[in-house]
């Protein structure tokens, strides 16, 4: 069955370190997204991609970057982790037929 | 700019009771509307969606929602709640069902009393 997986599920890192969160989907969707979830804010869009080599900034992109070298993967990099980036991160993929599919999330703690 | 409000942060109901979760949106055109459910430690699962047509839509797990254009609302209902329905519920609005312009509400946490 097709799926979307995120790794790691939990991560603790120190302020200032570079961190990369992985997202891998086997739906063959062109569209992929990264959201962060914070209490009282719902999900907010960080970055998105509509295909290989395409990346775009979302609502809360400062301090984050993504790259898309193939259809399956959209890794999210925190260039220099800050405490304000402690959050739960969700990856999603979509197409016009099926809509959105979400991963199970990565809980990131920056200490 | 589009926005979604969910007035109730936390709702507690008894098992077997009826449920209504409120969602109001602001959008310039006819919106695509969604309800998602998130169980603890899990991703978001689509409950139902509205694009056009019949304003009462049926979803999975016995949920339904009604689109009311005049009130800019898309409230979620269930006639009889089960303990397994305890979760976080998110309303979302977008220009389509697959693009980057989804806006999620802040969520409503549902607790179910035995």
């Amino acid at each position: 069955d097709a799926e979307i997986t995120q790794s790691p599920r939990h991560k603790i890192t120190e302020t200032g370190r570079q961190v990369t969160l992985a997202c891998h989907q086997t739906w063959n969707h062109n569209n992929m997204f990264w959201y962060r979830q914070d209490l009282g804010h719902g999900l907010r869009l960080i970055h998105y991609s509509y295909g290989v080599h395409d990346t775009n900034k979302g609502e809360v992109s400062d301090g984050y970057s993504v790259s898309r070298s193939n259809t399956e993967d959209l890794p999210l990099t925190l260039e220099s982790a800050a405490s304000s980036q402690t959050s739960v991160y969700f990856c999603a993929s979509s197409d016009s037929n099926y809509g959105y599919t979400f991963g199970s999330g990565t809980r990131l703690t920056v200490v | 700019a589009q926005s979604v409000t969910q007035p109730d942060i936390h709702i507690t109901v008894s098992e077997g009771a009826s449920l209504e979760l409120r969602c109001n949106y602001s959008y310039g055109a006819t919106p695509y509307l969604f309800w998602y459910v998130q169980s603890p430690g899990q991703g978001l699962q689509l409950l139902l969606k509205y694009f056009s047509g019949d304003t009462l839509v049926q979803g999975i797990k016995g949920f339904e929602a009604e689109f009311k254009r005049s009130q800019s609302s898309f409230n979620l209902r269930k006639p009889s709640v089960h303990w397994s329905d305890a979760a976080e519920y998110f309303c979302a609005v977008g220009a389509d069902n697959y693009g980057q312009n989804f806006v999620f509400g802040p969520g409503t946490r549902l607790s179910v009393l035995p």
Side-chain angles (χ1 to χ4, degrees):
Chain A
D1 289 346
E3 59 182 1
I4 180 167
T5 55
Q6 294 183 234
S7 60
R9 290 298 307 274
H10 302 272
K11 185 168 181 66
I12 301 174
T13 191
E14 295 178 344
T15 300
R17 289 194 178 270
Q18 184 181 79
V19 177
T20 297
L21 309 183
C23 176
H24 179 81
Q25 54 99 2
T26 57
W27 288 94
N28 199 35
H29 287 164
N30 284 325
N31 307 332
M32 294 186 72
F33 309 84
W34 274 103
Y35 288 88
R36 61 178 288 173
Q37 183 181 30
D38 303 289
L39 194 64
H41 290 279
L43 277 73
R44 292 180 291 175
L45 183 63
I46 305 171
H47 281 285
Y48 61 98
S49 168
Y50 281 161
V52 177
H53 303 310
D54 175 71
T55 61
N56 305 279
K57 294 182 179 180
E59 176 189 358
V60 290
S61 61
D62 287 349
Y64 304 93
S65 64
V66 294
S67 61
R68 187 91 179 269
S69 59
N70 58 52
T71 300
E72 295 79 20
D73 299 290
L74 187 69
L76 177 71
T77 297
L78 287 68
E79 304 294 343
S80 177
S83 58
S84 60
Q85 295 176 307
T86 292
S87 186
V88 180
Y89 291 86
F90 285 98
C91 179
S93 68
S94 75
D95 70 9
S96 58
N97 291 323
Y98 196 80
Y100 268 64
T101 301
F102 285 88
S104 298
T106 294
R107 182 175 295 276
L108 177 68
T109 302
V110 183
V111 298
Chain B
Q2 58 207 56
S3 65
V4 178
T5 56
Q6 294 180 245
D8 304 304
I9 296 173
H10 184 204
I11 285 181
T12 300
V13 300
S14 297
E15 191 169 18
S18 63
L19 171 70
E20 182 169 29
L21 302 182
R22 295 182 291 164
C23 171
N24 293 96
Y25 67 89
S26 173
Y27 193 75
T30 300
Y32 285 63
L33 294 159
F34 309 83
W35 274 99
Y36 287 87
V37 60
Q38 183 184 28
S39 298
Q42 300 298 314
L44 278 71
Q45 180 184 21
L46 180 66
L47 282 175
L48 48 77
K49 57 190 176 187
Y50 172 78
F51 297 159
S52 64
D54 192 347
T55 57
L56 184 65
V57 294
Q58 303 296 319
I60 63 171
K61 304 185 180 187
F63 286 93
E64 67 178 24
E66 186 171 14
F67 170 58
K68 293 186 177 180
R69 184 187 301 275
S70 62
Q71 299 177 19
S72 297
S73 69
F74 188 57
N75 294 348
L76 182 71
R77 300 193 293 250
K78 188 170 185 178
S80 178
V81 170
H82 188 262
W83 64 266
S84 60
D85 293 325
E88 188 92 18
Y89 291 80
F90 294 94
C91 182
V93 63
D96 49 50
N97 70 327
Y98 62 90
Q100 90 288 356
N101 43 28
F102 262 45
V103 174
F104 287 86
T108 296
R109 183 161 63 93
L110 174 66
S111 298
V112 180
L113 299 175

